[in-house]
Amino acid sequence: MKLRTLILGCLALTAASAMADELVKIQTDNVDLILKVKDDGRLTQAYLGKTLRDTNDLGWLEDGREAYITHGPEVYFEPALDVIHADGNPSSFLRHTSHATTSPKAGVQETVITLEDQKEPLTVRLHYVAYTRENVIKTWTEIVNRQKKPIQLKKFASSMLHFYRPAYYLTQFNGDWINEAQMTTLPLAFGKKVLESNLGSRADMFASPQFILSLSQPATETSGDVLLGQLGWTGNFRFTFEVDREGWLRVISGINNEFSERTLQPGETFQTADFFFTLSSAGLEKASHDLHDWARRHQVKDGMGDRMTLLNNWEATYFDFNEDKLVGLMDDAVRLGVDMFLLDDGWFGNKYPRSNDDAALGDWQETAGKLPNGVGRLCDAAREKGIKFGIWIEPEMVSQRSELFEKHRDWVLMFPNRDPQEFRNQLTLDLSNPKVQDFVFGVVDGLMTKYPEIAFFKWDCNSPIMNPYSPYLKDHQTHLYVDYVRGLYSVLERIKAKYPELPMMMCAGGSGRIDYKGLEYFTEFWASDDTDPAERLFIQYGYSFFYPSKTICAHVTTWNKLASVKFRTDVASMGKLGFDIKLSDMTADDIAYAREAVRNYNRLKPVILDGDLYRLVAPYQSTHAASAYVSKDKGHAVLFTFDIQPRAVEHRHNVVLRGLDSNRRYRIQEINLMPGQDTWVKNRSYSGDYLMNIGLDLFTGNKLNSRVVELIAE
Ligand code: DGJ
């Protein structure tokens, strides 16, 4: 309180001296991040928020907090950077030496700010890439050792951001297998809240590498200042949210430094992971729209491209299949009208055939007993039937019962002189080793060379790193977690360079691994092994804040038979639609319905996959849920409504739309109807104004009931 009064009292003086300070502006259409270079070279964060419209006000900005706090000048709270210099000095005092802004392409501006320690030869470069139209800022840091001997990096954050608001609310996405992306919101008060992962290869398993931060008050879909942040790193991450005694919040984002201290050799540069964020002053919806647009245009592999519907055999057969069964399932795919057949786990291994999950990972040759004519015959069959063929791999992993393990124990992460701990009966290969990287690249390259018709890969990762010891890294074991992920990226980079058009699904026993750096190499991700559609409504809702629907794979399975095939398919149609089911598990009406639903989906793909998402009723808030996708020109929309577990007596409200043009009229039509099913939602026309004020009475009192309504502007 005292300090605040003092600051206000000195406002004129602060502003006057601030005029002399240089400002570095990182700007998007709606967001300003303004840094200030002080007379003594210190760099502070003077402002982060909605664009300041009148530049005459900039001189009034207070200094704010040091932009990238190091251990040394401040030791009270957690720093962004902690270095032990070659001479043993544990402090770093950084001063601005230069900055520059360039525009690598239209709508993208990159600012690099160079800071140096005046006593210890250390350079730190802060990078900020502003995507102006999408209001997304990507930031990372480079740390350069200019000393004659190695230095130790103890903490090396990608980003530090400061906020000074009356209150803060953090939404985290925690979970586990078949329970991903569960949302919890809590207020942040004095002290620290840490979200982190230590699982090595599975960055999304218990905690997720993303968060929502509401400023001043909890944001709603359409109101409030809110930041959506994510670390682009397919490995251990750490977010620290620390509120100090004056009510300032610092948010430090980066690779988890736990068991990851790094030795930086003379002349070496360490580049941190990327931290992405967007800030909206109009609530969550705007933030998601911006992130989705950015993801499609700038980040996701083939982000603007189409996606294939598919039939996957996993839930239909598990490991129990042969060539005939698979070819039969291809006929199911054709009857459903999907684009591709995806062969899952269980097709490889000969000395130890993969008939369950305890063998053969690493031996990527077709099991002769199951597939006597190899994958080639399956490619031929798919081509003859007019569909594409995709295949599952898990190339980072090895089974102890495998020829690879027998030949290359030195390629496996295992503590010396200890029995390895397994997770799902498997171990992890040492991707810090370039020879292992070649092997993993060779799994994809080998299959593509032999069977160039393979049109899709599902890349699984069913284990965290259980035995974090690399035979390759020898006395640099604390480099393992970072070097593993770098090794993975180097493999994925080679695959992308050689097969730029190849779509790939990122999977990790459900979505145990998902982040935006990974999506640079993958076109989509498997959101969960939990395909119970009622549960999926929550999981897909959670992911929808960050990811556009074209990246969220959603399949129709036999999970929750209390739910109709229609309900299951309607839920899956909100993402990237697929099926994991045998037609023999469906009635003739179900099949007729599903064929029609696939046809509708194909027609509506441009709206569902590339339109704007409106989360109208959250499953968390109600026993119902509703979302709409609206095309960018507002001419076409699809509305999905779900009655999950309605109460016997309840007040049901209309579903009120958003995002339409209030001056246009829309013809509405219920689609995805079961054969013979009637509806009142047929050929009526409403104004956008009516639909966005009064809405439609679409919820019912029936459990596990769903409706899909198409709206076309007249
Ligand atoms: C875990 C995945 O999430 C499933 O979809 C399936 O591919 C299995 N692995 C196969 O082992």
Side-chain angles (χ1 to χ4, degrees):
M1 182 66 191
K2 243 181 175 172
L3 189 71
R4 254 338 259 162
T5 322
L6 189 70
I7 290 173
L8 287 173
C10 298
L11 192 62
L13 181 66
T14 315
S17 59
M19 299 294 254
D21 299 324
E22 193 175 355
L23 297 182
V24 185
K25 290 178 244 163
I26 291 127
Q27 297 177 303
T28 70
D29 287 352
N30 303 152
V31 180
D32 274 356
L33 169 60
I34 301 182
L35 304 165
K36 195 183 270 196
V37 183
K38 301 293 302 164
D39 282 351
D40 61 0
R42 282 187 315 119
L43 183 78
T44 63
Q45 181 196 303
Y47 181 75
L48 172 56
K50 191 173 167 176
T51 304
L52 296 173
R53 297 290 162 200
D54 190 340
T55 49
N56 290 318
D57 293 331
L58 296 184
W60 295 105
L61 288 174
E62 293 182 33
D63 289 353
R65 295 287 161 114
E66 190 109 6
Y68 192 75
I69 296 179
T70 51
H71 178 83
E74 192 204 275
V75 288
Y76 305 142
F77 300 107
E78 187 166 318
L81 183 74
D82 189 355
V83 178
I84 311 278
H85 297 281
D87 59 5
N89 185 343
S91 67
S92 303
F93 284 59
L94 297 178
R95 295 291 178 262
H96 168 275
T97 54
S98 66
H99 65 268
T101 299
T102 52
S103 182
K105 59 177 171 172
V108 183
Q109 297 236 305
E110 178 167 357
T111 301
V112 185
I113 304 174
T114 304
L115 307 170
E116 280 178 12
D117 190 305
Q118 305 296 297
K119 299 274 190 246
E120 301 283 350
L122 178 80
T123 301
V124 171
R125 285 192 285 266
L126 306 179
H127 290 252
Y128 301 88
V129 176
Y131 298 86
T132 42
R133 243 195 328 155
E134 298 84 8
N135 298 302
V136 170
I137 296 175
K138 167 165 104 177
T139 142
W140 73 94
T141 299
E142 284 177 314
I143 302 153
V144 190
N145 177 11
R146 294 189 291 104
Q147 298 170 31
K148 295 211 164 59
K149 290 194 176 149
I151 62 173
Q152 299 303 317
L153 291 187
K154 296 182 71 183
K155 275 194 69 67
F156 35 85
S158 302
S159 139
M160 180 174 233
L161 297 174
H162 301 277
F163 301 91
Y164 186 63
R165 294 294 187 107
Y168 310 102
Y169 298 87
L170 174 69
T171 302
Q172 63 189 51
F173 298 77
N174 47 280
D176 200 345
W177 180 66
I178 64 170
N179 191 34
E180 291 89 342
Q182 304 297 306
M183 297 170 68
T184 322
T185 299
L186 63 157
L188 294 174
F190 177 84
K192 232 188 240 187
K193 162 84 183 169
V194 173
L195 291 175
E196 63 178 355
S197 157
N198 280 306
L199 299 171
S201 54
R202 301 182 98 193
D204 190 50
M205 197 162 142
F206 303 143
S208 287
Q210 63 224 13
F211 62 86
I212 295 175
L213 179 67
S214 293
L215 303 168
S216 302
Q217 65 219 355
T220 69
E221 282 295 330
T222 51
S223 70
D225 289 351
V226 64
L227 179 131
L228 269 60
Q230 190 192 83
L231 194 77
W233 184 248
T234 315
N236 295 349
F237 63 84
R238 179 179 163 103
F239 300 120
T240 307
F241 304 86
E242 189 164 20
V243 180
D244 70 16
R245 78 274 182 213
E246 290 175 12
W248 281 84
L249 166 68
R250 67 176 64 175
V251 180
I252 306 174
S253 308
I255 295 170
N256 197 345
N257 57 303
E258 179 89 19
F259 196 71
S260 282
E261 187 169 311
R262 288 198 73 88
T263 305
L264 203 59
Q265 298 299 332
E268 196 183 340
T269 298
F270 179 80
Q271 182 172 330
T272 69
D274 299 336
F275 175 66
F276 307 101
F277 68 94
T278 184
L279 196 79
S280 152
S281 54
L284 293 158
E285 189 168 280
K286 167 80 171 110
S288 290
H289 289 176
D290 279 343
L291 260 185
H292 294 176
D293 284 345
W294 165 80
R296 283 184 289 244
R297 288 184 199 138
H298 300 286
Q299 192 64 22
V300 175
K301 182 173 185 188
D302 195 21
M304 300 298 280
D306 194 12
R307 295 292 184 271
M308 285 188 277
T309 53
L310 60 84
L311 175 75
N312 186 0
N313 73 305
W314 177 241
E315 302 241 347
T317 64
Y318 294 103
F319 295 101
D320 179 20
F321 59 80
N322 57 26
E323 185 181 293
D324 287 347
K325 226 188 211 182
L326 297 179
V327 174
L329 280 170
M330 288 184 194
D331 290 330
D332 285 4
V334 174
R335 275 186 78 193
L336 281 168
V338 296
D339 302 316
M340 178 176 59
F341 173 76
L342 171 61
L343 170 59
D344 213 283
D345 193 357
W347 57 267
F348 48 90
N350 281 303
K351 182 170 178 189
Y352 305 100
R354 181 124 169 123
S355 48
N356 57 41
D357 65 15
D358 79 350
L361 289 173
D363 300 348
W364 298 103
Q365 297 82 34
E366 300 94 319
T367 307
K370 281 185 184 174
L371 301 175
N373 303 301
V375 162
R377 171 69 197 112
L378 299 175
C379 291
D380 292 345
R383 185 186 346 101
E384 284 154 17
K385 293 173 195 298
I387 54 175
K388 303 274 187 206
F389 176 81
I391 196 163
W392 176 99
I393 51 171
E394 194 180 9
E396 298 156 78
M397 299 291 156
V398 60
S399 309
Q400 294 201 61
R401 285 183 355 102
S402 71
E403 291 180 76
L404 182 70
F405 188 79
E406 288 170 352
K407 205 163 137 205
H408 278 301
R409 287 176 77 101
D410 56 324
W411 284 7
V412 183
L413 295 176
M414 286 192 298
F415 294 117
N417 307 326
R418 290 190 197 280
D419 289 339
Q421 308 283 311
E422 292 185 328
F423 190 100
R424 207 207 191 203
N425 302 314
Q426 63 194 56
L427 300 171
T428 307
L429 291 174
D430 182 2
L431 268 171
S432 70
N433 182 341
K435 286 205 177 98
V436 177
Q437 292 166 22
D438 288 345
F439 171 81
V440 174
F441 170 73
V443 175
V444 174
D445 194 37
L447 282 164
M448 286 303 286
T449 306
K450 204 161 164 202
Y451 308 116
E453 274 182 274
I454 293 179
F456 185 90
F457 278 86
K458 175 177 177 184
W459 179 305
D460 210 338
C461 167
N462 280 292
S463 172
I465 293 179
M466 296 297 289
N467 310 281
Y469 184 92
S470 155
Y472 175 77
L473 288 172
K474 299 196 172 70
D475 52 355
H476 281 108
Q477 292 303 322
T478 60
H479 290 203
L480 171 61
Y481 283 128
V482 169
D483 289 2
Y484 182 93
V485 178
R486 287 179 167 176
L488 173 67
Y489 290 156
S490 124
V491 171
L492 293 170
E493 199 62 58
R494 285 164 74 184
I495 295 172
K496 191 173 169 182
K498 188 153 180 194
Y499 306 103
E501 312 290 329
L502 184 65
M504 301 213 291
M505 182 200 293
M506 191 181 202
C507 172
S511 62
R513 165 193 262 185
I514 170 64
D515 69 278
Y516 264 126
K517 177 70 184 175
L519 282 181
E520 227 175 275
Y521 307 106
F522 291 87
T523 44
E524 56 218 73
F525 69 97
W526 178 228
S528 180
D529 277 351
D530 187 343
T531 47
D532 172 337
E535 295 292 330
R536 269 287 181 141
L537 284 173
F538 288 84
I539 294 169
Q540 292 174 198
Y541 174 81
Y543 282 127
S544 78
F545 286 90
F546 284 83
Y547 300 106
S549 53
K550 71 169 27 163
T551 62
I552 304 177
C553 297
H555 294 182
V556 180
T557 70
T558 51
W559 281 51
N560 192 351
K561 288 196 179 124
L562 291 176
S564 62
V565 164
K566 169 173 164 53
F567 189 91
R568 290 180 243 159
T569 309
D570 290 349
V571 171
S573 296
M574 292 198 298
K576 205 223 76 168
L577 176 65
F579 291 80
D580 232 298
I581 194 168
K582 301 188 279 290
L583 291 197
S584 53
D585 286 332
M586 294 161 73
T587 64
D589 275 0
D590 284 342
I591 295 170
Y593 156 83
R595 284 166 59 85
E596 177 65 12
V598 171
R599 266 198 297 274
N600 285 333
Y601 183 81
N602 282 335
R603 186 169 50 77
L604 295 169
K605 266 185 189 176
V607 184
I608 297 173
L609 302 185
D610 294 318
D612 286 328
L613 166 66
Y614 292 85
R615 289 173 292 255
L616 303 174
V617 178
Y620 283 92
Q621 281 159 13
S622 155
T623 51
H624 306 270
S627 288
Y629 298 86
V630 181
S631 65
K632 293 281 179 193
D633 66 3
K634 298 182 187 296
H636 201 174
V638 195
L639 168 62
F640 293 87
T641 69
F642 301 95
D643 309 302
I644 310 168
Q645 195 73 9
R647 303 291 309 276
V649 177
E650 61 172 12
H651 302 290
R652 273 199 303 276
H653 296 280
N654 279 1
V655 179
V656 178
L657 282 108
R658 292 197 297 275
L660 302 175
D661 184 338
S662 48
N663 296 319
R664 289 165 92 176
R665 295 196 68 77
Y666 291 85
R667 185 146 294 278
I668 65 162
Q669 186 87 37
E670 182 169 2
I671 58 170
N672 283 15
L673 290 164
M674 288 296 287
Q677 189 185 339
D678 200 14
T679 174
W680 64 267
V681 194
K682 187 156 67 179
N683 252 336
R684 294 190 180 199
S685 150
Y686 294 83
S687 69
D689 184 50
Y690 182 100
L691 293 167
M692 293 195 291
N693 277 307
I694 298 171
L696 297 172
D697 176 19
L698 292 173
F699 287 142
T700 76
N702 303 329
K703 291 191 172 65
L704 297 173
N705 187 65
S706 59
R707 278 178 155 157
V708 183
V709 177
E710 183 174 0
L711 298 91
I712 302 177
E714 290 176 337

